[in-house]
Amino acid sequence: MNTLIKKEFNSIVGDSRFRDRLEDLLSYSYDAFTVESVPDLVLLPVSTAEISAILKVASEHQIPVTARGAGSSICGAPVPVNGGIVLSMTMMNRILETNTPDRYCIVQPGVINGDLQAELAKSAFFYPPDPGSMAFSTIGGNLAQNAGGPRCLKYGVTSDYVLGMEVVLASGDVIRFGSRNVKDVTGYRLSGLFCGSEGTLGVVTEITLKVVPLPEAYRTVLAVFNDLDDSAATVSDIIGAGILPAALELLDKVLINTVEDANNIGLPREAEGLLLIEVDGSEEQVEKELALIVEKVLSNNAVDIQQARTAEERDNLWQARRSLYPSMARLKPNCIVEDATVPTSKVPEMIRGIRAIIDKYKLLCGIAAHAGDGNMHPLIACDLRDHDEMERVEKAIEEIFELAMANNGTLSGEHGIGIAKRKYLSMAIDKPTLKFMHTLKQAVDPHGILNPGKAI
Amino acid sequence: MSLKPDNLIAPEVHHCSKCGACLHVCPVYLQKMEEGVSPRAKVQLTRHYAEKNLVTSSHLNSLVNHCLMCGNCTAACPSGVQHQSLFMRMRSYMATDHGEGWHLKALYHFLSHEQQLRLVSRFARLGRNHMLEQVPREFKIGKIPAKRLPKFNKQPFREQAVEKIAPEIQSRGTILYFTGCGTNYLYEQVGHALCHILKIMGFQVEIPRSQVCCGLPMFIHGNMEKAAANIKTNIKLFNRKDIVAVVTDCATCGSALHKEYGIVLEELGLATGEAEELGSKVRDIGEFILANFSLLEPHMDPCATRQKVTYHMPCHLRNGQGVTTEIEALLKRLPHVDYTRAADYDHCCGGGGTFFYDHPETSHQIVSRKIKNAIATGADTWITGCPGCSINLSGNLQESDNITVEHILLLIEQGLNKQG
Ligand SMILES: Cc1cc2nc3c(=O)[nH]c(=O)nc-3n(C[C@H](O)[C@H](O)[C@H](O)COP(=O)(O)OP(=O)(O)OC[C@H]3O[C@@H](n4cnc5c(N)ncnc54)[C@H](O)[C@@H]3O)c2cc1C
Ligand code: SF4
Ligand code: SF4
């Protein structure tokens, strides 16, 4: 990028939020995926007007612009593969309004999900999407990846909570759509389009979100199974009985043992599967559901069951789930998490299939799943510097995707495509559909400057 | 005995998964909101340096040193990256390549030659009282006005105190007191309070005369070799089998003795066994008093003047020694204390050794928020357990702020029976 153009950008944000030294550029060359790429320039805007001005200049000179939240994506989504500008949204981190009587809040995109939760909790409300990264990822990044987490089985994912947005288009034009109304069918529902678009259609500058009251009570159950089919049968029995848990998390044998090695919390090492089940709601309702869940768990041959009624007991039961990533990540320098997703009933088949693939390629992998929605999370511990191993990892991942597709599944339940899964897109999306997506992209971003090389 | 260059190409840099979990706990990142100063970037930039994509530069130096060494990142890291060792190493490289700031050099020099620090403290004391009128009122160190810095003790605490203080009643064993530079040179009252309190609790207190600076100011700035000499001296003096505990009244010294000695020795390829033995005996004084509260309780005056108190948790207490809930628990048990927690009581104060001096703007922004929240509790006493935090918190208060920063030992002493 020549100095004249840089000057134009500098005059928009000023020296204090303009970075072009190598040390700073390297700091914006990565996310939590393996591929890195160094941008030419980093800008830290604080207003919609600045972003609009930046995009006008970028458009004129056809310079790539990649928005970035916390950089916690694990698919390379905010990595500027074609160089150009990284637009860091971290300084736009104000909660503009929380209105719990009307059940909405308005935030800037750089607000951290966890900070929003803390603010809402003051009025006994919450924002349900709960990605594992919620303590550090941004609402803008959550929206662009359409993030989800354990709670989404019951409550839905990010796109189910976006009421309205302000977006700066590639041209620099600013559009606003949606409203503060939970019901709104005025015009196309554009929020659905922008959720999960990975910053390829526009830069989101303001978001109106639906919020809901915090449940009064929780009940949590940890159930141990010696046969994965029993755990799957339990899941379908629970849902079949009309209960929609706020979490249904499955850990396989390798994970149980890895967590136990690291934390020594007394998990049953011989078990094939461990199911963490949580319900929330009114006291009366959760007690009733707890009784039913215990019944279903026992009738499906669980070998052990633990229940939590107090916050402290609940915390103890969640410890196994919480420490799963850290325990795997400490085994080897790196840990790759995939998230192929299949219909719920196919979960046992997926686990066995993934296990067979992993054994074939002699890899170290624990398998977790959001069992209620079939979102699989194989965690592969590896070392990026070991080329032979990485080749095997690559092959295994491809076969896992093939397996998911053969089971009516899809490539990604929540982590997104980014650069990581782009080459597999054709497994999941046919040609005319992909073409339709490209037509949309071409219409809103004719020069292809917004986060090129991602998502589609 | 020096760092091997390939030490830098350390497992840590490759263990970082770049997940970002350390961003939102880093006081410096939260203030700046830009990646370059985040723990993750510091690790990644170190990796780039190790892989020779980057050479040291004053900008790299300023990014990596934009750090309070508070340890919050390590506590949050799912991959077990040991930031402190990594940053120490990186700082040591940059110090070699780039030279240290004059004030850091002076600091190491004085701390590793305590003889001279003693002298300086005398002169400074004289000079301070003498020259004060000539020093412009607005003269500042970092953002702290000179007049708000503590005065040097007339005589170092260790020279004032007797080496062995017998207990009031029959002895419950011997406690070795590591006095730290803060108490020794600045806060003599804290040292006297510690001896007084342990004495009435029934312990014999010994203050080894030839103890030296814990070494942490040297090793966190990358000067490992100077630190090693101090570490060895202290281990020899304090790693004794016949004692109940080694106590510290400084969270920073405590974390050095408790945890970091082993890390530094390992970095230098030396045996760590003795450091670990010593570490297991080190207790923060607040933690120690809480664990033995029944010995103190009878000596507390139920009618002592009540005080409204809030608390600042030093990072080095939580991250360095695993002391988390203990001090608040102790405050709640003191009969003369009305305790109110401040919203951000467990956030870093922004002092970070010389950070307040090296990065005055960032430091000041961090501490200002804390001050606002502490005052909002309505407390008139702000308790903490680290001289470093005390200097920074107290130094940044305005004359009009009706709150005083105090060590917990002084607060306890104020609540004792008058005859006790
Ligand atoms: C330990 C760990 C656990 C995780 N767990 C989960 C999980 O349970 N569920 C889940 O869904 N994900 C999870 N993730 C992935 C990741 O955290 C999410 O995708 C998250 O939403 C990314 O947010 P971010 O702020 O880090 O965005 P970034 O990674 O910075 O960016 C992500 C994408 O958003 C775009 N973007 C960011 N801000 C804007 C904006 N204002 N306008 C337009 N585009 C923008 C970027 O261009 C990029 O394409 C996890 C990641 C880690 C490291
Ligand atoms: S030690 Fe503290 S200040 Fe330094 S990088 Fe870690 S969290 Fe930030
Ligand atoms: S938390 Fe640990 S692994 Fe994650 S980015 Fe920070 S240093 Fe790296």
Side-chain angles (χ1 to χ4, degrees):
Chain A
M1 196 183 300
N2 73 41
T3 33
L4 270 174
I5 299 180
K6 277 193 189 175
K7 262 210 179 111
E8 279 188 69
F9 289 118
N10 187 302
S11 70
I12 299 169
V13 294
D15 281 342
S16 66
R17 292 183 281 108
F18 173 99
R19 303 279 177 272
D20 67 345
R21 282 186 281 194
L22 180 61
E23 293 83 351
D24 292 312
L25 300 177
L26 282 169
S27 307
Y28 290 90
S29 64
Y30 51 73
D31 64 355
F33 181 57
T34 49
V35 175
E36 300 178 359
S37 174
V38 188
D40 299 305
L41 191 61
V42 176
L43 302 174
L44 297 126
V46 294
S47 69
T48 306
E50 283 183 356
I51 294 174
S52 166
I54 291 166
L55 282 170
K56 277 199 179 97
V57 178
S59 232
E60 188 188 325
H61 302 288
Q62 304 198 6
I63 296 167
V65 176
T66 301
R68 176 188 168 96
S72 74
S73 147
I74 43 186
C75 62
V79 175
V81 284
N82 291 5
I85 297 171
V86 164
L87 207 56
S88 168
M89 307 301 290
T90 51
M91 289 187 180
M92 290 179 69
N93 62 347
R94 276 183 306 133
I95 298 172
L96 301 172
E97 185 186 348
T98 57
N99 188 329
T100 47
D102 285 344
R103 289 195 291 145
Y104 72 84
C105 67
I106 304 179
V107 299
Q108 290 190 316
V111 167
I112 301 296
N113 180 318
D115 287 353
L116 178 62
Q117 307 291 0
E119 185 59 32
L120 291 168
K122 290 181 189 162
S123 6
F125 267 67
F126 76 119
Y127 164 68
D130 59 341
S133 57
M134 66 196 285
F136 46 96
S137 63
T138 67
I139 297 291
N142 290 174
L143 185 151
Q145 301 300 104
N146 201 5
R151 271 199 305 243
C152 296
L153 162 64
K154 174 169 181 176
Y155 289 97
V157 296
T158 304
S159 58
D160 296 312
Y161 289 85
V162 179
L163 298 176
M165 274 188 231
E166 179 186 79
V167 178
V168 183
L169 299 177
S171 59
D173 289 348
V174 180
I175 62 169
R176 296 181 68 98
F177 48 83
S179 65
R180 293 165 199 209
N181 300 293
V182 175
K183 292 170 98 177
D184 184 348
V185 291
T186 319
Y188 288 157
R189 191 178 158 79
L190 295 181
S191 57
L193 181 60
F194 280 89
C195 286
S197 68
E198 303 190 348
T200 59
L201 297 178
V203 177
V204 181
T205 47
E206 194 185 291
I207 306 154
T208 306
L209 294 168
K210 184 166 73 179
V211 297
V212 296
L214 273 171
E216 181 191 337
Y218 301 89
R219 290 294 181 273
T220 313
V221 173
L222 191 73
V224 181
F225 296 91
N226 279 345
D227 186 335
L228 284 172
D229 287 322
D230 289 337
S231 66
T234 307
V235 170
S236 49
D237 277 5
I238 292 172
I239 296 176
I243 300 172
L244 203 49
L248 254 175
E249 303 294 299
L250 180 70
L251 274 66
D252 83 334
K253 188 172 195 157
V254 174
L255 273 185
I256 296 171
N257 281 281
T258 312
V259 170
E260 193 50 26
D261 287 345
N263 302 287
N264 226 334
I265 44 182
L267 298 179
R269 287 178 177 276
E270 321 70 42
E272 282 297 324
L274 210 150
L275 209 50
L276 182 73
I277 311 160
E278 182 160 288
V279 287
D280 64 7
S282 69
E283 274 292 341
E284 198 188 355
Q285 180 198 346
V286 294
E287 263 309 310
K288 218 172 82 195
E289 291 183 347
L290 175 71
L292 251 161
I293 287 172
V294 171
E295 186 196 308
K296 301 290 174 204
V297 166
L298 291 176
S299 70
N300 280 299
N301 314 318
V303 289
D304 189 18
I305 176 165
Q306 294 175 35
Q307 305 171 39
R309 282 193 167 78
T310 65
E312 198 190 337
E313 289 170 356
R314 177 181 176 221
D315 203 52
N316 285 341
L317 293 193
W318 271 96
Q319 201 196 335
R321 174 67 178 82
R322 251 197 325 265
S323 46
L324 132 193
Y325 177 74
S327 315
M328 282 304 292
R330 283 169 199 229
L331 290 183
K332 286 207 162 201
N334 308 94
C335 181
I336 292 178
V337 188
E338 277 308 335
D339 79 323
T341 302
V342 293
T344 320
S345 62
K346 308 279 189 190
V347 169
E349 214 166 312
M350 270 307 274
I351 293 190
R352 281 187 288 261
I354 294 176
R355 181 58 57 213
I357 295 170
I358 291 300
D359 290 345
K360 172 167 137 200
Y361 289 108
K362 299 192 171 51
L363 296 169
L364 186 53
C365 169
I367 307 171
H370 303 308
D373 51 28
N375 195 174
M376 311 300 303
H377 280 327
L379 294 96
I380 309 175
C382 53
D383 185 344
L384 293 182
R385 293 165 296 174
D386 181 341
H387 297 297
D388 169 64
E389 183 179 53
M390 290 317 290
E391 237 165 70
R392 285 179 283 129
V393 169
E394 185 88 351
K395 285 192 190 132
I397 289 176
E398 182 162 352
E399 286 185 26
I400 291 173
F401 287 146
E402 280 163 0
L403 179 69
M405 296 316 298
N407 281 293
N408 300 326
T410 186
L411 295 180
S412 173
E414 49 186 32
H415 297 164
I417 300 301
I419 35 185
K421 279 164 256 185
R422 231 175 134 221
K423 59 174 180 259
Y424 307 117
L425 266 186
S426 59
M427 288 185 186
I429 306 180
D430 62 19
K431 271 208 179 108
T433 314
L434 206 54
K435 188 166 164 242
F436 177 67
M437 292 182 185
H438 281 283
T439 309
L440 276 174
K441 164 83 176 166
Q442 176 72 25
V444 284
D445 179 16
H447 301 304
I449 62 166
L450 287 173
N451 204 7
K454 309 295 170 57
I456 56 166
Chain B
M1 183 188 63
S2 72
L3 286 167
K4 292 185 259 49
D6 57 345
N7 256 11
L8 192 57
I9 307 178
E12 282 95 325
V13 291
H14 299 288
H15 271 270
C16 168
S17 65
K18 303 179 286 187
C19 68
C22 52
L23 265 61
H24 218 56
V25 298
C26 171
V28 177
Y29 176 77
L30 286 174
Q31 195 52 52
K32 296 260 160 202
M33 294 315 290
E34 74 170 283
E35 182 78 28
V37 296
S38 72
R40 173 171 60 180
K42 287 172 184 141
V43 176
Q44 290 307 312
L45 290 172
T46 303
R47 171 171 69 87
H48 282 298
Y49 172 72
E51 289 175 349
K52 301 199 167 30
N53 303 326
L54 201 59
V55 294
T56 58
S57 65
S58 61
H59 189 47
L60 181 62
N61 199 36
S62 110
L63 290 175
V64 175
N65 284 332
H66 224 111
C67 172
L68 294 148
M69 286 288 191
C70 67
N72 283 0
C73 44
T74 313
C77 176
S79 302
V81 172
Q82 293 299 315
H83 300 77
Q84 208 130 340
S85 329
L86 194 64
F87 297 167
M88 276 182 329
R89 249 177 271 147
M90 191 62 201
R91 284 174 171 213
S92 128
Y93 275 81
M94 288 187 301
T96 320
D97 290 5
H98 262 274
E100 294 151 0
W102 62 267
H103 62 286
L104 286 184
K105 277 194 199 135
L107 184 74
Y108 307 148
H109 188 75
F110 287 134
L111 293 178
S112 56
H113 300 83
E114 289 211 65
Q115 216 74 8
Q116 280 152 350
L117 186 54
R118 250 179 316 207
L119 263 175
V120 167
S121 73
R122 291 222 175 91
F123 283 123
R125 173 85 192 178
L126 271 177
R128 186 187 158 92
N129 301 340
H130 231 38
M131 280 162 32
L132 254 186
E133 296 90 77
Q134 286 144 53
V135 173
R137 303 264 315 152
E138 64 279 13
F139 178 78
K140 284 184 174 170
I141 298 181
K143 288 265 174 186
I144 302 182
K147 60 177 187 245
R148 291 205 64 90
L149 288 172
K151 290 189 178 150
F152 277 96
N153 298 336
K154 280 213 177 66
Q155 196 184 7
F157 170 75
R158 287 200 294 273
E159 290 175 21
Q160 306 171 27
V162 284
E163 203 167 354
K164 275 189 193 163
I165 299 153
E168 207 142 75
I169 37 175
Q170 114 269 17
S171 180
R172 298 180 192 278
T174 298
I175 306 280
L176 296 185
Y177 176 20
F178 185 85
T179 64
C181 297
T183 295
N184 198 34
Y185 297 108
L186 301 171
Y187 295 113
E188 57 197 7
Q189 337 75 282
V190 174
H192 291 300
L194 184 141
C195 297
H196 179 193
I197 293 166
L198 287 183
K199 185 170 123 177
I200 61 173
M201 287 172 75
F203 294 100
Q204 157 148 317
V205 184
E206 281 187 35
I207 310 174
R209 271 280 155 80
S210 37
Q211 59 180 285
V212 291
C213 167
C214 69
L216 185 134
M218 303 158 209
F219 61 75
I220 67 170
H221 289 291
N223 203 327
M224 312 275 251
E225 282 151 43
K226 281 214 170 100
N230 284 31
I231 292 176
K232 284 188 199 153
T233 308
N234 286 333
I235 289 182
K236 205 172 272 160
L237 286 170
F238 286 90
N239 186 23
R240 267 171 44 185
K241 293 220 174 347
D242 59 328
I243 54 166
V244 179
V246 173
V247 297
T248 63
D249 58 18
C250 164
T252 303
C253 300
S255 82
L257 266 63
H258 180 75
K259 178 171 142 192
E260 276 123 27
Y261 275 14
I263 299 178
V264 175
L265 294 178
E266 193 174 349
E267 284 296 315
L268 293 166
L270 303 172
T272 59
E274 283 183 295
E276 278 148 23
E277 256 173 59
L278 168 61
S280 70
K281 293 179 193 142
V282 174
R283 294 283 174 280
D284 172 71
I285 186 65
E287 177 194 13
F288 183 81
I289 293 177
L290 178 72
N292 297 280
F293 195 73
S294 60
L295 303 176
L296 179 67
E297 207 159 19
H299 303 282
M300 299 302 298
D301 177 1
C303 309
T305 321
R306 297 189 75 81
Q307 300 192 29
K308 284 193 229 151
V309 170
T310 192
Y311 171 61
H312 160 68
M313 179 192 281
C315 302
H316 283 147
L317 210 49
R318 178 187 52 224
N319 300 330
Q321 300 174 73
V323 176
T324 51
T325 54
E326 288 84 346
I327 307 301
E328 284 192 305
L330 175 58
L331 287 169
K332 287 180 191 154
R333 293 187 72 170
L334 296 175
H336 63 307
V337 165
D338 289 325
Y339 177 68
T340 311
R341 177 188 273 191
D344 55 357
Y345 79 107
D346 57 348
H347 289 196
C348 179
C349 73
T354 57
F355 185 88
F356 78 96
Y357 181 89
D358 295 330
H359 304 281
E361 292 300 332
T362 316
S363 173
H364 190 66
Q365 286 157 349
I366 295 173
V367 75
S368 301
R369 206 170 32 207
K370 289 218 59 128
I371 290 176
K372 209 174 93 207
N373 285 318
I375 291 176
T377 63
D380 36 46
T381 310
W382 196 359
I383 292 302
T384 191
C386 181
C389 304
S390 289
I391 293 177
N392 189 50
L393 295 174
S394 162
N396 281 287
L397 289 174
Q398 305 290 318
E399 300 295 333
S400 55
D401 293 337
N402 285 325
I403 191 166
T404 320
V405 178
E406 212 157 74
H407 197 283
I408 191 163
L409 288 166
L410 299 181
L411 179 74
I412 295 175
E413 203 176 35
Q414 286 152 19
L416 292 177
N417 279 324
K418 289 298 163 270
Q419 58 276 40

